[in-house]
């Protein structure tokens, strides 16, 4: 049975209530379908992957499906250690978000802007604020979180799965499966 | 015309008031001509601000999408919506940023204003004597105000100027005033520049009055850590930033030979300033004759992040709070452990009765017998006496209370730990994401290791306790399980040395501007680390070892003291304390941060011979173009940290902050894909040339310490770096990347102008990559770069961003 990722949709840091526009929690199939439909998606991964190394493998799975990966903080190291650097770009989350807010930016590969960004494994408060930048200053990009937290400033997110790693892993696997369909 | 003092009578005139303004001396002893911008007003330096903002794009990360400041609200500003008053999201964020910077700036300046009055009252007007090796004293005051203060009273007009400016700036935040985000930012930059002015005034006033070190690289090593507080004595904690009352406690202790009965430990910046008293040049005599080196008798109990841990760890008998960074539940926290609290500043009175005019005996008697949990005593001398006498007298009473009813018994500990239902409400609110449920569950099973291993990561915010439906006092569980840790918490910290000496600037000026000293790293700020206090030490060690000049201040200086090398030596014992490569200097408390920004002015004026007088943008331009300095506020929490960083930014110093700093809402980020943003003027002939993006960002948020360190190295590049300097900076940039990221940074090549810039250990590989990956033309026979760099090597290149610096116009 699919993991219910729509439950527990309260901000991970409970006081993180931005205003009238707050994220909806979606099930894995819907998120997977949206990501599959994306023309220029970008997977953005952060240093929390080191705390749950299996997530590197899941990121690589997504990368192998043709989704370029922005390896923020020092996560590039995890990809190098796993021998996968094909479409992995080393860049800080902060400058990346800064570029993403400009509509004339041509992307990490110079091939054009992105229509969907997918955050995973990023320190919660930091990711939330970067989502907020995009939410307010470039609304052309769809903001998707497949992190273990309910991300209030995303467009689409899971509910909180932070305390159930198995369910969280399963949920990400389901998204990947839906993308592959 | 000589200044005249005295009185005169005007006969036959009644009800006449004669006001005489400042009498300006006819003979000006300072030979520098007045620069273009004395006492700049809000819009005076706006052009400079807009140049910064053109290159470093303002980036907002709203924490709240609404405005709730007027009765039309709440207004939703999400996206492109506007509020009823017409304000948009960017301007609203700019407004909040300005308010935060004003909070920070006024905290420092009001501190200075209090010290100004108090020191004049206590010591009288004193000459500003910084010693033979500091002739360029008060560089920020000279640059902004255009005056050279000679006595403490000369700071009067400087503080008045500050106060007028902040009044005008705060007015701009009212509904229906400023509405453009760039202008809000320019105002925030102005407020924050003023913050550095206020900090400088504050620190010079206290340095002069309390005979603190003036650029002493051998300032004494003082005791630091909770374990240094002698439990056989009464323990008085002085907490905050203003030494007026805490110094009086020290003087009272000295005068009455009570050091064998009481230990005085400081928390937050008061700790720094306590330990600097009486260690200077022997002036004023009142301090040097009676209290020489008295600062070495005080102890640094700890940085702000340790405050609640100290209370729960039962390390104190009495507390005096002064101002800034005092957690507002201090009274409630202390009351639970029967620790009397004395509020000594009008700024923080905690609802306590004002007992300033009561006899000391009566106040002490009330506190010692727990008739009241605390008092306000606004006379520093009286407060100091009350603090010491209360601590000594209450110690046995507290021991009796503890005996009768332990604050947390073993039985209590078990009961609480076992009551955890593993609901994770605590983890939902923990800033550094400690898995508190697991930690408490392990404790219930008798395993205290997780409580130990996460003790330094905990920032002591107490949000977990408030979220806990079982009311488990989680911080008390931490304290209980870490009794041994607290007992052994004993380290050494070098006392704050104060400003940079002119002689040091002469020694390092050229290597910094040419880049052969790879940079100045300033580690400043508070205790809200994303991953524990150890990171403060790790970052400092990494950069001292690499030959950078590392300057530290405030709580970060204290926190990096808590670790040692294999021999147990703290960072202060491992390295000398001069302003030089492979040195680490503790500048002092929060207000001593001004000596770091002031040092960049001193490089421009002492090394490069530029006139600093009323010449802010010139100093900032020189810093931005030629001085490889980078500030780091890795534990930043406060609005003061926001204004310090923003003030650095106006001065041309980039700053790296930790991920929680998104709460500041605004950053300055460069775009390397916009060549035109990096156009710079060659001052030799006024030609406009493109340069590599150096420094690339002005306010950068890093996710991890590894990312921060890479960015710190990168943000030390400057357009003026010569070949050798460029090679050294590239070596560190690439080496840090290889060490922590496992690969070269993707943009190393943009800093290369000539083959001799390439680090020798990677030169061959780098040249291959330049040719194959980036399409550069290489002459392999001569090992030379023929084409490719953004800018070619030019040893006499003189970069500037200010047109008036052009020497010969084309």
């Amino acid at each position: 049975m699919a993991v219910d990722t729509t439950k527990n949709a309260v901000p991970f840091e409970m006081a993180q209530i931005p205003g009238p526009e707050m994220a909806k929690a979606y099930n894995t199939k819907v998120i997977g379908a949206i990501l599959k439909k994306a023309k220029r998606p970008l997977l953005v991964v952060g240093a929390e992957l080191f705390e749950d190394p299996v997530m590197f493998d899941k990121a690589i799975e997504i990368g192998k499906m043709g989704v370029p990966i922005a390896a923020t903080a020092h996560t590039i190291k995890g990809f190098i250690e796993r021998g996968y650097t094909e479409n992995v770009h080393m860049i800080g989350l902060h400058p990346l978000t800064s570029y993403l807010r400009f509509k004339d930016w041509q992307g990490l590969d110079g091939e054009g802007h992105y229509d969907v960004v997918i955050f995973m494994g990023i320190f919660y408060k930091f990711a939330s604020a970067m989502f907020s930048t995009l939410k307010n200053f470039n609304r052309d990009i769809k903001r998707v979180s497949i992190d273990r937290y309910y991300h209030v400033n995303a467009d689409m997110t899971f509910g909180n799965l932070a305390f159930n790693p198995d369910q969280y892993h399963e949920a990400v696997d389901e998204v990947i499966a839906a993308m592959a369909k | 015309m000589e200044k005249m003092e005295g009185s005169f009578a005007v006969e036959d005139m009644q009800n006449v008031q004669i006001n005489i303004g400042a009498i300006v001396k006819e003979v000006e002893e300072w030979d520098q001509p007045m620069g273009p911008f004395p006492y700049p007003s809000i819009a005076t330096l706006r052009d400079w601000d807009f140049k910064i903002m053109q290159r470093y794009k303002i980036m907002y990360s709203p924490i709240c999408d609404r405005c709730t400041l007027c009765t039309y609200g709440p207004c939703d500003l999400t996206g492109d919506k506007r509020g009823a008053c017409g304000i948009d999201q960017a301007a609203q964020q700019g407004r909040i940023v300005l308010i935060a910077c004003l909070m920070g700036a006024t905290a420092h300046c009001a501190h200075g204003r209090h010290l100004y009055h108090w020191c004049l009252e206590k010591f009288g007007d004193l000459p500003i004597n910084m010693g033979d090796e500091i002739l360029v004293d008060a560089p920020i005051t000279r640059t902004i105000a255009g005056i050279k203060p000679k006595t403490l009273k000369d700071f009067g007009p400087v503080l008045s100027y500050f106060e007028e400016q902040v009044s005008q700036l705060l007015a701009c935040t009212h509904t229906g005033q400023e509405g453009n985000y760039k202008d809000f930012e320019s105002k925030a930059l102005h407020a924050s520049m003023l913050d550095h002015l206020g900090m400088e005034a504050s620190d010079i006033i206290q340095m002069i009055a309390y005979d603190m070190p003036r650029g002493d690289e051998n300032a004494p090593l003082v005791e630091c850590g909770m374990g240094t507080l002698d439990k056989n004595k009464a323990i008085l904690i002085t907490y905050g930033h203003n030494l007026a009352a805490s110094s009086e406690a020290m003087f009272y202790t000295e005068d009455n030979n009570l050091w064998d009965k009481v230990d005085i430990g400081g928390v937050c910046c008061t700790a720094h300033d306590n330990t600097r008293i009486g260690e200077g040049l022997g002036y004023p005599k009142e301090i040097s004759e009676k209290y020489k080196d008295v600062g070495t008798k005080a102890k640094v109990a700890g940085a702000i992040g340790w405050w609640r841990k100290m209370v729960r760890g039962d390390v104190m008998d009495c507390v005096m709070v002064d101002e800034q960074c005092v957690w507002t539940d201090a009274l409630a926290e202390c009351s639970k452990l029967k620790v009397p609290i004395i509020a000594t500043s009008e700024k923080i009175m905690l609802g306590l009765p004002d007992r300033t005019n009561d006899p000391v005996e009566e106040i002490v008697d009330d506190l010692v017998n727990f008739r009241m949990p605390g008092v306000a005593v606004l006379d520093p001398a009286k407060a100091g006496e009350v603090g010491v006498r209360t601590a000594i007298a209450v110690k046995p009473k507290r021991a009796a209370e503890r005996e009768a009813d332990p604050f947390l018994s073993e039985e209590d500990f078990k009961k609480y730990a076992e009551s955890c239902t593993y609901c994770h409400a605590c983890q939902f609110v923990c800033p550094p994401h400690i898995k508190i449920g697991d930690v408490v569950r392990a404790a219930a099973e008798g395993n205290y290791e997780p409580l130990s291993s996460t003790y330094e990561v905990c920032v002591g915010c107490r949000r977990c306790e408030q979220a806990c439906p079982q009311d488990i006092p989680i911080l008390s569980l931490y304290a209980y399980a870490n009794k041994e840790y607290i007992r052994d918490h004993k380290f050494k910290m070098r006392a704050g040395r104060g400003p940079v000496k002119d002689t040091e600037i002469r020694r390092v000026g050229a290597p910094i501007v040419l880049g052969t000293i790879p940079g100045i790293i300033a580690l400043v700020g508070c205790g809200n680390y994303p991953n524990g206090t150890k990171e403060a030490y790790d970052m400092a060690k990494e950069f001292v070892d690499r030959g950078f000049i590392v300057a530290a201040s405030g709580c970060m200086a204290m926190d990096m003291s808590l670790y040692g090398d294999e021999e147990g030596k703290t960072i202060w014992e491992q390295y000398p304390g001069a302003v030089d490569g492979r040195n680490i200097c503790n500048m002092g408390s929060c207000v001593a941060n001004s000596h770091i920004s002031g040092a960049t002015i001193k490089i421009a004026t002492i090394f490069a011979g530029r006139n600093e007088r009323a010449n802010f943008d010139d100093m900032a331009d020189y810093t931005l173009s030629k001085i490889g300095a980078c500030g780091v506020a890795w534990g930043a929490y406060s609005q003061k940290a926001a204004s310090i960083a923003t003030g650095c930014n106006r001065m041309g110093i980039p700053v790296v902050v930790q991920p929680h700093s998104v709460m500041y809402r605004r950053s300055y980020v460069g775009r390397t894909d916009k060549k035109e943003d990096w156009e710079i003027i060659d001052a030799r002939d006024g030609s406009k040339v493109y340069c590599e993006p150096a420094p690339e960002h002005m306010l950068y948020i890093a996710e991890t310490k590894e990312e921060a360190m890479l960015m710190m190295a990168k943000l030390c590049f400057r357009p003026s770096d010569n070949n050798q300097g460029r090679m050294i900076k590239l070596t560190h940039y690439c080496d840090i990347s290889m060490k922590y990221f496992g690969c070269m940074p993707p943009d190393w090549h943009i800093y290369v102008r000539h083959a001799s810039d390439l680090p020798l250990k990677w030169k061959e590989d780098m040249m291959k990559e330049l040719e194959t990956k980036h399409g550069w033309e290489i002459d392999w026979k001569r090992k030379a770069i023929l084409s490719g760099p953004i800018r070619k090597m030019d040893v006499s290149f003189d970069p500037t961003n200010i047109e008036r610096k052009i020497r010969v116009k084309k």
Side-chain angles (χ1 to χ4, degrees), chain B residues 514 684 720 722-723 792-798:
Chain B
L514 299 174
R684 291 174 301 184
S720 66
N722 73 2
N723 293 130
K792 285 191 174 174
M793 184 189 70
D794 178 356
V795 286
S796 54
F797 178 46
D798 187 8

Side-chain angles (χ1 to χ4, degrees), chain A residues 8 10-14 16-21 46-48 51 72-74 76-77 80 90 92-95 97-99 101-102 104-106 121-126 129-130 132-133 135-137 139 149 153 160 163, chain B residues 57-66 76-79 89-90 424 427-429 431 433 463 659-660 662-663 667 669-674 697 699-704 706-707 710 737 739-746:
Chain A
N8 211 6
V10 289
F12 181 71
E13 283 202 39
M14 290 169 175
Q16 192 83 270
I17 308 289
E21 190 176 308
E48 287 191 355
E51 293 165 27
T72 72
H74 57 296
I76 187 76
K77 195 173 188 187
I80 292 169
M90 170 179 161
L93 178 63
H94 184 215
T97 310
S98 177
Y99 282 119
R101 74 195 158 116
F102 293 112
D104 63 345
W105 184 49
Q106 292 304 305
I122 304 168
F123 187 66
Y124 175 76
K125 197 191 276 182
F126 195 12
M130 296 302 105
S132 169
T133 296
K135 171 181 168 184
N136 281 286
F137 300 104
R139 295 173 69 81
Y149 315 110
N153 285 318
N160 281 304
F163 311 113
Chain B
K57 313 297 184 195
I58 300 162
M59 174 172 161
Y60 291 119
S61 305
I63 301 302
C64 176
D65 297 334
R66 301 168 301 151
D76 178 14
L77 306 178
T78 312
Q89 186 67 284
H424 300 299
Q427 198 179 329
F428 259 104
V429 295
H433 293 194
R463 295 200 323 203
H660 290 290
V662 294
M663 291 301 292
S667 48
V669 197
R671 284 190 73 170
T672 56
D673 61 331
K674 291 284 178 192
H697 307 293
L699 190 62
Y700 185 91
I701 306 166
E703 189 178 342
T704 60
E706 290 83 359
E707 183 187 351
L710 185 68
S737 190
K739 183 174 174 183
Y740 295 107
F741 290 66
C743 63
M744 285 288 188

Side-chain angles (χ1 to χ4, degrees), chain B residues 405-472:
Chain B
D405 181 14
F407 299 133
L408 189 79
S409 66
E410 187 179 350
E411 199 179 316
D412 293 336
F413 178 89
K414 279 186 181 166
K415 183 191 77 185
Y416 281 126
E418 285 167 2
S419 68
C420 173
T421 58
Y422 211 51
C423 71
H424 300 299
C426 46
Q427 198 179 329
F428 259 104
V429 295
C430 176
H433 293 194
I434 297 172
K435 295 184 170 68
I436 301 170
D438 294 344
V439 169
V440 174
R441 179 175 271 193
E445 290 163 0
N447 176 13
Y448 295 179
E449 192 284 328
L451 277 171
S452 299
S453 59
T454 57
Y455 195 39
E456 292 175 354
V457 179
C458 167
V459 292
C461 69
R462 216 178 73 82
R463 295 200 323 203
C464 52
E465 291 187 355
Q466 295 177 81
C468 179
Q470 301 298 105
D471 292 326
I472 301 173

Side-chain angles (χ1 to χ4, degrees), chain B residues 94-337:
Chain B
R95 174 154 66 153
I96 300 294
V97 168
L98 172 57
I99 291 169
C101 290
L102 283 168
M103 286 181 191
T106 49
H108 286 135
C109 194
H111 172 194
R113 177 56 95 179
H114 177 265
L115 284 175
Y116 175 80
H117 290 310
W118 168 245
C119 291
L120 284 176
E121 182 187 325
K122 183 175 172 69
F123 302 101
D125 197 11
L126 297 169
I128 293 170
N129 177 357
M130 301 297 279
D132 297 340
E133 293 186 83
I134 300 179
L135 299 179
V136 181
D137 50 14
I140 298 173
T141 305
R142 292 170 175 222
T143 300
I144 297 172
I147 65 152
K148 190 173 164 183
K150 292 200 172 56
T151 70
L152 295 188
K153 272 192 174 171
D154 288 344
F155 281 114
V158 174
L159 293 168
S160 297
Y161 157 70
F162 178 99
E163 287 150 0
E164 193 216 320
Q165 290 298 299
V166 296
S167 168
Q168 299 289 350
L169 287 164
L170 189 56
C172 300
T173 64
H174 194 277
T175 303
Q177 300 265 42
E178 187 56 79
N180 178 275
Y181 74 100
K182 281 192 175 173
D183 269 309
F184 271 124
E185 289 298 337
S186 174
K187 290 172 172 66
L189 288 162
H190 188 60
S192 303
M193 176 195 76
L194 297 172
D195 182 23
H196 286 245
L197 180 70
M199 288 194 291
E200 184 177 83
S202 301
D203 207 39
I204 290 179
I205 290 168
Q206 65 178 4
M207 263 192 294
I208 295 298
Y210 290 91
D211 194 20
M212 292 176 173
R214 275 88 127 182
D216 184 0
E217 63 203 65
N218 296 311
L221 291 165
V222 295
E223 293 187 73
C224 174
M226 293 181 280
T228 64
L229 300 166
D230 186 348
K231 295 288 269 185
N232 295 314
K233 302 180 195 174
I235 294 170
L236 172 65
I237 291 292
T238 62
Y239 174 17
H241 281 247
N242 187 328
L243 85 172
S246 64
S247 61
E248 293 298 328
M250 290 166 62
F251 298 158
Y252 180 82
T253 306
E254 183 76 8
D255 292 344
N256 294 281
N257 294 317
L258 292 171
W259 286 110
D260 60 335
K261 292 191 171 59
V262 66
D263 241 359
I264 298 179
V267 174
C268 208
C269 282
T270 300
H272 273 292
D273 292 333
N274 285 348
T275 60
R276 296 165 78 191
I277 299 172
E279 295 159 14
L281 303 170
Y283 186 88
K285 281 201 169 134
E286 183 174 347
I287 298 293
S288 70
E289 285 175 359
K290 288 174 72 181
Y291 306 116
K292 180 151 179 55
D293 291 330
V294 73
T296 59
K297 296 179 183 176
K299 292 168 179 176
V300 175
I304 187 174
W306 294 93
W307 159 249
R308 286 199 185 95
K309 297 183 201 175
M310 285 182 212
V311 181
R312 301 299 179 91
D314 193 18
V315 303
M316 62 194 78
D317 294 300
C318 180
V319 179
M320 290 165 63
V321 297
D322 49 81
E323 59 171 290
Q324 303 168 54
C325 299
V326 174
W327 285 168
T328 52
D329 63 346
L331 179 63
E333 280 283 310
C334 288
S335 299
K336 283 181 208 158
L337 276 84

